[in-house]
Amino acid sequence: MACKKCVENPVIQLPNSNVNLCKNCFIKYFEKKVNKTIGEYDLIDKKDHIVVACSGGKDSTVLLYLLKKLTEKRKDVKITALAIDEGIKGYRDKSLDFLTNFCKEHKVELNIFSYEKEFGKPLDEILKSYNGVPCSICGVFRRYLLNKKSKELNGNKLATGHNLDDESQSIIMNYFRKNIKLSARLGPITGIIADKRFIRRIKPLYFLTEKEITSYAFLKGFMDKFTECPHDADSYRAQIRDMLNNFEAKYPGTKHSIITSFLEILPVLKEKYKDEQEIKSCKICDEPCSQEICKACQYAEEVVKNFTR
Amino acid sequence: MKVYIERTDEWKEVNAINVQEIFQKLKINPTTVIVTRNNELITENTKINDNDEVKLISVISGG
């Protein structure tokens, strides 16, 4: 079956449909979809300085490339790349090498911050004395640095490569764990309240699947040997991901349905939780938090021995 | 034909006439991979020959 829009050989069948597209038509479709998300949810404003959270993986690499490309003619919008080096040997060091070369080639300023410098030890070392789930402590440190460092770089928005798969997993995780309040922070643009201590997050790849993003990365020649984090296999998210992928294979459209249903109730969630929690400033680092001391500082003092800020 | 599975970094010998059949025989979830034949991206309905080099590239990557 030829491409739906021309006569070329197809390279992809779009998810949840029988539409086949060739390379050029798929690239156009993909970029149009990102542009549409940016337009519909007002993800980019005049004079924005968008800090792009990059890992060297396919999602954030595609995101960085597209944000740079789509804002090429807008002299008022600045794009900067930010990467966090957790200190995972054989994984992050390789992806950051790829990212460094990518940024050089595409002339994007790249800033890398490490757990070792910011918290005293790389993750591989931290996990030797931490008995909890690796993703818990790593996620807290990573989110903390992304927020803090984006502000230090004078960014006013943080773009992340979250896609339809990531978001549908988060929605289901929050349901399963009775954490519905956390879902109020999801969506293509995050933030329940306007607070200068929190940088707003935008997700231009929100409506694209991992499979579409990998196809785009492959066709554009951005493919490195993208690997999975070695600590990811047993995570709760990984189990939800596998469950949803099995459902999707059996009932195509499942993930799209989760997202579209969620977006219908998101305004209600945002309204419900907008005043619920007082945002304090951490007594140690001054970053926003719900308690006296933020979770990152708690972990840093409890888990990272001999830590000094 | 020989099929390369990127996620586990291994080659497997498979008798199949198209990509769908490869998925069935190797018990691979189609939503988790993209497929290339001789380094070109192909759809699941694409017919394949014995001398084609087929690769299954994982779409899952840790953030």
Side-chain angles (χ1 to χ4, degrees), chain A residues 10-13 20 55 58 91-92 142 210-211 214-215 218-219 223 225 227-228 241 245-246 248-249, chain B residues 4 6-7 23 29-34 36 39-45 57-63:
Chain A
V11 294
I12 189 168
Q13 181 178 350
N20 288 300
S55 64
K58 61 179 168 46
Y91 170 63
R92 186 60 77 219
R142 188 156 48 152
E210 278 192 318
K211 188 159 176 159
T214 312
S215 299
F218 179 85
L219 293 170
M223 292 297 280
K225 190 173 166 23
T227 51
E228 288 176 62
R241 178 192 68 204
N245 282 339
N246 289 337
E248 184 71 36
Chain B
Y4 176 69
E6 186 216 31
R7 196 175 185 194
F23 288 155
N29 184 329
T31 65
T32 63
V33 290
I34 60 168
T36 65
N39 280 327
E40 299 223 330
L41 194 61
I42 53 171
T43 65
E44 286 164 32
N45 298 321
I57 301 168
S58 174
V59 305
I60 297 165
S61 62

Side-chain angles (χ1 to χ4, degrees), chain A residues 11-30:
Chain A
V11 294
I12 189 168
Q13 181 178 350
L14 297 183
N16 195 21
S17 79
N18 290 320
V19 174
N20 288 300
L21 294 179
C22 70
K23 177 180 175 176
N24 289 337
C25 292
F26 172 68
I27 287 172
K28 274 186 206 161
Y29 150 88
F30 189 98

Side-chain angles (χ1 to χ4, degrees), chain A residues 62-119:
Chain A
V62 165
L63 174 69
L64 180 63
Y65 169 78
L66 278 178
L67 283 179
K68 184 85 180 151
K69 182 181 176 185
L70 297 172
T71 59
E72 224 166 28
K73 289 177 185 160
R74 293 188 56 171
K75 300 290 173 209
D76 61 318
V77 175
K78 188 181 173 188
I79 304 290
T80 303
L82 163 63
I84 306 299
D85 180 2
E86 301 94 342
I88 307 171
K89 229 174 179 181
Y91 170 63
R92 186 60 77 219
D93 44 356
K94 285 182 184 172
S95 69
L96 288 181
D97 281 349
F98 172 80
L99 177 65
T100 303
N101 289 331
F102 187 90
C103 286
K104 257 184 212 160
E105 192 187 326
H106 291 87
K107 297 182 176 60
V108 182
E109 178 194 320
L110 170 64
N111 302 272
I112 301 177
F113 300 94
S114 70
Y115 285 5
E116 185 165 18
K117 192 165 177 218
E118 302 295 328
F119 299 112

Side-chain angles (χ1 to χ4, degrees), chain B residues 47-60:
Chain B
K47 286 191 176 162
I48 36 182
N49 300 313
D50 265 357
N51 53 351
D52 285 335
E53 187 185 84
V54 176
K55 288 184 180 173
L56 307 183
I57 301 168
S58 174
V59 305
I60 297 165

Side-chain angles (χ1 to χ4, degrees), chain A residues 2-244:
Chain A
C3 171
K4 196 194 174 190
K5 295 181 188 284
C6 67
V7 292
E8 294 293 319
N9 280 336
V11 294
I12 189 168
Q13 181 178 350
L14 297 183
N16 195 21
S17 79
N18 290 320
V19 174
N20 288 300
L21 294 179
C22 70
K23 177 180 175 176
N24 289 337
C25 292
F26 172 68
I27 287 172
K28 274 186 206 161
Y29 150 88
F30 189 98
E31 294 179 359
K32 202 174 161 188
K33 205 160 177 181
V34 174
N35 230 339
K36 194 178 167 205
T37 305
I38 291 171
E40 268 187 23
Y41 290 90
D42 293 325
L43 301 189
I44 301 178
D45 292 314
K46 282 178 188 167
K47 295 182 182 174
D48 266 352
H49 176 188
I50 301 172
V51 176
V52 185
C54 294
S55 64
K58 61 179 168 46
D59 303 302
S60 53
T61 303
V62 165
L63 174 69
L64 180 63
Y65 169 78
L66 278 178
L67 283 179
K68 184 85 180 151
K69 182 181 176 185
L70 297 172
T71 59
E72 224 166 28
K73 289 177 185 160
R74 293 188 56 171
K75 300 290 173 209
D76 61 318
V77 175
K78 188 181 173 188
I79 304 290
T80 303
L82 163 63
I84 306 299
D85 180 2
E86 301 94 342
I88 307 171
K89 229 174 179 181
Y91 170 63
R92 186 60 77 219
D93 44 356
K94 285 182 184 172
S95 69
L96 288 181
D97 281 349
F98 172 80
L99 177 65
T100 303
N101 289 331
F102 187 90
C103 286
K104 257 184 212 160
E105 192 187 326
H106 291 87
K107 297 182 176 60
V108 182
E109 178 194 320
L110 170 64
N111 302 272
I112 301 177
F113 300 94
S114 70
Y115 285 5
E116 185 165 18
K117 192 165 177 218
E118 302 295 328
F119 299 112
K121 283 181 184 174
L123 187 69
D124 286 342
E125 286 298 313
I126 292 171
L127 292 179
K128 287 179 183 170
S129 57
Y130 174 73
N131 296 323
V133 179
C135 299
S136 302
I137 188 166
C138 186
V140 166
F141 281 165
R142 188 156 48 152
R143 283 190 294 274
Y144 173 86
L145 286 181
L146 286 175
N147 192 60
K148 189 176 179 200
K149 297 301 174 185
S150 300
K151 289 184 294 179
E152 285 177 14
L153 292 169
N154 292 320
N156 67 320
K157 278 182 187 148
L158 176 69
T160 64
H162 287 101
N163 55 47
L164 188 134
D165 289 74
D166 300 322
E167 191 82 350
S168 54
Q169 290 156 18
S170 298
I171 293 164
I172 295 301
M173 282 167 71
N174 291 339
Y175 267 114
F176 281 15
R177 289 170 149 175
K178 210 179 148 191
N179 268 342
I180 196 73
K181 190 162 79 177
L182 290 181
S183 287
R185 300 178 195 168
L186 298 176
I189 183 160
T190 65
I192 309 174
I193 47 165
D195 187 320
K196 280 189 176 175
R197 291 171 296 174
F198 284 113
I199 190 151
R200 291 203 93 179
R201 293 183 180 213
I202 58 170
K203 304 171 188 169
L205 306 181
Y206 194 86
F207 294 101
L208 289 154
T209 64
E210 278 192 318
K211 188 159 176 159
E212 289 173 303
I213 295 167
T214 312
S215 299
Y216 183 87
F218 179 85
L219 293 170
K220 295 298 274 186
F222 300 157
M223 292 297 280
D224 195 40
K225 190 173 166 23
F226 297 128
T227 51
E228 288 176 62
C229 175
H231 303 298
D232 181 55
D234 298 325
S235 72
Y236 191 74
R237 177 178 289 275
Q239 293 180 59
I240 296 284
R241 178 192 68 204
D242 293 345
M243 181 192 78
L244 288 180

